[in-house]
Amino acid sequence: MGDYLRVKRMPFKRWKRVALVAFAVVALFVLLFYYFYAYSHPYLQKNMVNISDNWHYYLQDNPEVKTMPELARIDNKANNTMIMYRELTEDVPGATLMVKSHHQTLRLLLNGTPIYQDELHQGQKKPGMCLHFVPLPAGYVGQTLTVEITSPYNVFAGFPQKIYLGDMVSLESYALSTSVLNASYLFICLALGITLIVLCLASNFLRANRWGLLFLGIFCILWGISYVSNDYSVYHFFTPTQLSNITLGTQITYFFPLMLYLYSQAQFTKKAMRPLVAVAGLSAVGGLLLHILDIADLPDIMVYTTILEQVVFSVTLVLAAYSIFVRKRKLYLYEALWIPNLIFWVLLVVSYYTNWLPLYLVNAIYLQTLFVLIIAICIVSIYGFYKMYLRRGNEIDLLESKNQMALESYETLKDNLEQTSILRHEMNHQLLALNAMLELKEYTKAEEYISTLTAQSKRLQGPIYTENYIINSILVSKLAHLPEDTIKITTHIMVPKQLNIQENDLCSLLLNLIDNALEACRKVQPPRQQWMNLSIRLRGTYLYIKESNAKTGVIITSDNRIKTSKQDKKIHGYGIRIIQSIVDKYDGMMHIDYNEEQFTVQAALKNIPPGTGKP
């Protein structure tokens, strides 16, 4: 009965814990919602209105007056002043105007009387990006506000920014509240970028060389900086020229590391992507050089780099579609990165001709979607590094186990050969004893003694491949007793008695090499011949080893590594990696070549003890 009650209480306790966790999560989200809602609707933002509607405008070279229900981009050319005006009907105590300018100079008038002249850009031919606060005189209500906008760049000559009217406290509160969310994006991008760069450095220590993490990290940092460059709060910390250089400079350059990341991740379209990466690199580096050398300005450069980026975007989308639909590959996250760009341009074109959505809303949708995808790609990349780190740890353990097995085989060989040496040394004494038995005509004892010697001699049988003790021991153990009608063995060994390579390393290398070769040979079916060729020779300070063998079937590779075809992949498949690790230990080189019928491994090891630098 006690057990029954104990079993019945467990689900209740579990649901109680689940409910408690759910309540904590909901409470946390409610708190965060309330917190950020307060940031977006500050209580100090009481006396402020958006006066970006009901404007009239005309151009300096075209006095025809037109209406503008909402401030929007119009067609205008560089250095041609755009004049906008409207009646101020909003009554706000301590009224001040807050106006952005993007590479523009501003002049404000009230009933034709100048009240503000852009002093930040006085004497400058290249205005930057800044935020203007213009106090209004008492009794401004009912008067006409005129805003004159002039820009030396075509792209900004007809691009008015939103205008707000309010007291300074409300305007400052608004500037802060609109920047909180984007500032959070910036901190997230900076944290992810730095994390990815650190993981790239860590992967190099693990010899994984995941340079894609570095490129993605740099992109995250640059993209995060450019993303917040238009926030109202940013204008408080940088001069107009500094802000312009930072904003447009990051927008021109962040595309290049993004392309490098995509190129590093591409599996089937690398060759086709090389010209795209080159175009992105020339666009970024060339644009910065043109600006530094004062040949062209960033706003003009931005127009052409944007066109190049969209061309590259379009071609990359085609390559992604080719990989998905033609090569029947799954959709990777890095390929999905281009989908928001495609949607953005479709919405942009539709909205431009039909006014279906405001352009600022289209851009906001695009940026939010792209940000979510960037976060997803970064999380997947970090998770991939974590899996690789764990896999490397398991591989190291397995390599150590495999090496330990090879060393145990080596110790067994060594013990057997020591016993063989003792038996050979005693052979002369045994022959003398046999001769003495024959002289004494003790034939029965002699026959028994001969039988004993015959059994011992079978243990001593085996060819002499080389004078090198350890190499000869391995070859005798692995090759000498193979049936002659199965695998045809050819050896060519020319090495001295002594080598400067540690015996355990030489044993591990040869045992893995020969085991892999014999295993591959045994899979070859008649009428094809099973064969293996082994050549070991010393040339100068290098020990050269070349092994070729017959094979059948397909070589399985993954991440440029040869995988085992055995079912038990946790035990097998590490022979090549053990050989590579030993080759690296002796500052050597290894080359693998194979076709449908043959597999060849060539290795060169410096005949120098590791860490000494001397032969």
Side-chain angles (χ1 to χ4, degrees):
M1 185 67 179
D3 293 338
Y4 174 78
L5 291 175
R6 187 160 52 248
V7 171
K8 285 295 183 181
R9 289 192 193 104
M10 288 178 62
F12 174 74
K13 291 182 178 179
R14 184 164 57 248
W15 280 109
K16 190 176 181 180
R17 290 194 296 268
V18 172
L20 183 61
V21 171
F23 174 78
V25 171
V26 171
L28 179 62
F29 274 100
V30 170
L31 175 63
L32 291 175
F33 174 79
Y34 174 77
Y35 188 76
F36 285 104
Y37 180 83
Y39 260 109
S40 61
H41 299 77
Y43 82 96
L44 290 176
Q45 184 185 320
K46 299 177 181 178
N47 302 315
M48 192 193 79
V49 290
N50 185 351
I51 59 171
S52 300
D53 55 352
N54 300 322
W55 288 84
H56 297 78
Y57 76 94
Y58 63 92
L59 303 178
Q60 186 179 22
D61 63 352
N62 183 6
E64 180 183 357
V65 177
K66 298 180 181 180
T67 60
M68 185 185 295
E70 289 283 344
L71 292 180
R73 187 192 298 271
I74 64 170
D75 291 332
N76 193 16
K77 58 186 178 181
N79 298 312
N80 188 42
T81 301
M82 175 183 177
I83 299 96
M84 310 185 311
Y85 63 91
R86 80 185 291 271
E87 182 181 357
L88 295 178
T89 59
E90 298 81 5
D91 187 6
V92 176
T96 300
L97 296 172
M98 182 173 69
V99 190
K100 278 185 181 181
S101 65
H102 281 188
H103 307 282
Q104 303 158 336
T105 56
L106 298 181
R107 185 168 178 260
L108 277 65
L109 303 93
L110 195 61
N111 274 0
T113 303
I115 59 172
Y116 180 77
Q117 179 70 43
D118 188 356
E119 297 180 357
L120 293 173
H121 295 131
Q122 285 291 336
Q124 292 187 14
K125 296 181 179 179
K126 303 173 182 178
M129 302 169 60
C130 58
L131 186 64
H132 310 267
F133 291 94
V134 182
L136 292 177
Y140 71 89
V141 178
Q143 299 188 35
T144 300
L145 174 66
T146 303
V147 180
E148 297 179 354
I149 301 175
T150 308
S151 175
Y153 309 110
N154 290 322
V155 67
F156 294 108
F159 191 13
Q161 303 296 310
K162 290 183 178 180
I163 303 176
Y164 294 93
L165 174 64
D167 58 43
M168 282 300 299
V169 174
S170 297
L171 294 176
E172 292 286 359
S173 299
Y174 174 79
L176 176 62
S177 65
T178 57
S179 304
V180 170
L181 182 60
N182 287 348
S184 303
Y185 290 163
L186 172 62
F187 291 133
I188 292 173
C189 287
L190 291 178
L192 287 174
I194 293 172
T195 301
L196 291 170
I197 292 173
V198 171
L199 292 183
C200 174
L201 297 176
S203 67
N204 287 326
F205 284 112
L206 295 174
R207 296 186 179 180
N209 297 326
R210 296 200 168 190
W211 292 107
L213 296 177
L214 173 65
F215 303 137
L216 184 59
I218 295 174
F219 164 72
C220 284
I221 294 174
L222 294 178
W223 192 82
I225 293 174
S226 68
Y227 189 82
V228 301
S229 58
N230 288 328
D231 282 348
Y232 283 92
S233 61
V234 176
Y235 291 84
H236 292 71
F237 302 103
F238 299 96
T239 66
T241 302
Q242 289 174 341
L243 186 57
S244 175
N245 291 336
I246 292 172
T247 303
L248 298 184
T250 53
Q251 289 178 2
I252 288 173
T253 54
Y254 73 63
F255 182 67
F256 182 47
L258 176 62
M259 285 301 300
L260 288 174
Y261 167 72
L262 295 174
Y263 175 77
S264 69
Q265 299 300 306
Q267 295 184 354
F268 310 104
T269 56
K270 276 189 178 293
K271 290 184 178 180
M273 286 193 67
R274 287 171 188 167
L276 304 179
V277 175
V279 169
L282 290 174
S283 173
V285 178
L288 292 178
L289 286 177
L290 289 174
H291 178 68
I292 293 172
L293 298 176
D294 203 20
I295 298 175
D297 298 330
L298 283 176
D300 292 330
I301 296 169
M302 188 67 189
V303 175
Y304 297 103
T305 56
T306 301
I307 296 173
L308 286 175
E309 288 177 8
Q310 297 312 315
V311 172
V312 173
F313 274 151
S314 302
V315 177
T316 308
L317 276 170
V318 172
L319 294 177
Y322 169 80
S323 176
I324 297 167
F325 299 109
V326 178
R327 297 300 296 267
K328 306 298 182 183
R329 303 296 176 179
K330 62 182 179 181
L331 178 67
Y332 292 94
L333 271 176
Y334 74 87
E335 292 167 338
L337 187 64
W338 305 110
I339 295 177
N341 185 76
L342 178 62
I343 296 174
F344 167 69
W345 283 103
V346 172
L347 290 176
L348 186 64
V349 171
V350 172
S351 300
Y352 182 80
Y353 288 103
T354 65
N355 293 323
W356 178 51
L357 286 174
L359 295 182
Y360 73 89
L361 182 59
V362 174
N363 189 62
I365 294 173
Y366 167 70
L367 291 176
Q368 298 297 332
T369 307
L370 185 60
F371 177 78
V372 171
L373 271 174
I374 291 172
I375 296 296
I377 291 174
C378 292
I379 292 175
V380 170
S381 300
I382 294 172
Y383 177 69
F385 175 86
Y386 177 71
K387 285 182 61 179
M388 182 270 294
Y389 179 78
L390 292 180
R391 186 174 67 249
R392 281 300 178 91
N394 293 334
E395 288 180 1
I396 291 173
D397 293 339
L398 290 170
L399 287 175
E400 291 178 352
S401 300
K402 187 79 174 180
N403 268 323
Q404 185 62 35
M405 293 170 60
L407 291 176
E408 291 174 358
S409 299
Y410 162 65
E411 294 297 335
T412 302
L413 285 172
K414 194 173 181 181
D415 292 341
N416 291 338
L417 288 173
E418 287 177 356
Q419 294 177 9
T420 300
S421 298
I422 294 173
L423 290 174
R424 284 177 173 173
H425 181 72
E426 294 179 352
M427 183 63 70
N428 290 331
H429 300 288
Q430 293 169 346
L431 291 174
L432 291 174
L434 179 61
N435 186 54
M437 292 178 189
L438 293 174
E439 288 179 354
L440 295 173
K441 298 182 180 181
E442 296 179 349
Y443 301 115
T444 302
K445 289 185 178 181
E447 289 177 358
E448 293 176 355
Y449 200 68
I450 290 172
S451 299
T452 302
L453 292 178
T454 300
Q456 291 177 351
S457 67
K458 291 181 180 180
R459 297 171 57 191
L460 299 176
Q461 289 177 357
I464 304 299
Y465 294 94
T466 175
E467 294 182 349
N468 183 279
Y469 178 77
I470 184 63
I471 295 179
N472 193 73
S473 302
I474 294 170
L475 298 183
V476 169
S477 171
K478 290 293 183 180
L479 305 180
H481 304 295
L482 290 175
E484 296 181 357
D485 58 346
T486 55
I487 303 176
K488 181 181 179 181
I489 306 295
T490 303
T491 60
H492 185 69
I493 316 297
M494 295 180 64
V495 293
K497 289 184 179 180
Q498 298 295 328
L499 292 171
N500 289 318
I501 297 174
Q502 295 177 4
E503 290 185 351
N504 59 336
D505 292 330
L506 192 58
C507 175
S508 181
L509 188 151
L510 291 177
L511 284 175
N512 281 286
L513 199 62
I514 294 173
D515 284 343
N516 288 349
L518 295 179
E519 178 186 346
C521 287
R522 293 188 181 101
K523 295 179 180 179
V524 177
Q525 301 298 323
R528 288 186 54 203
Q529 174 68 52
Q530 298 178 350
W531 59 270
M532 186 190 82
N533 297 335
L534 179 63
S535 173
I536 308 176
R537 64 181 63 186
L538 189 65
R539 289 183 180 178
T541 59
Y542 279 90
L543 179 68
Y544 284 88
I545 302 173
K546 180 179 179 180
E547 186 279 323
S548 299
N549 58 266
K551 65 169 285 289
T552 186
V554 179
I555 297 293
I556 303 173
T557 60
S558 176
D559 296 331
N560 295 322
R561 293 180 177 177
I562 295 175
K563 298 292 185 180
T564 179
S565 58
K566 295 182 179 180
Q567 293 182 353
D568 192 352
K569 293 177 171 56
K570 291 187 177 181
I571 300 176
H572 303 289
Y574 293 92
I576 293 296
R577 291 187 220 175
I578 293 174
I579 296 169
Q580 181 67 66
S581 65
I582 296 172
V583 169
D584 292 340
K585 181 178 179 180
Y586 290 87
D587 296 328
M589 298 170 288
M590 186 174 75
H591 176 71
I592 297 175
D593 187 26
Y594 57 86
N595 54 38
E596 293 181 356
E597 298 183 352
Q598 178 176 322
F599 187 90
T600 301
V601 179
Q602 299 183 67
L605 292 76
K606 277 189 178 180
N607 187 32
I608 298 174
T612 64
K614 298 179 181 180

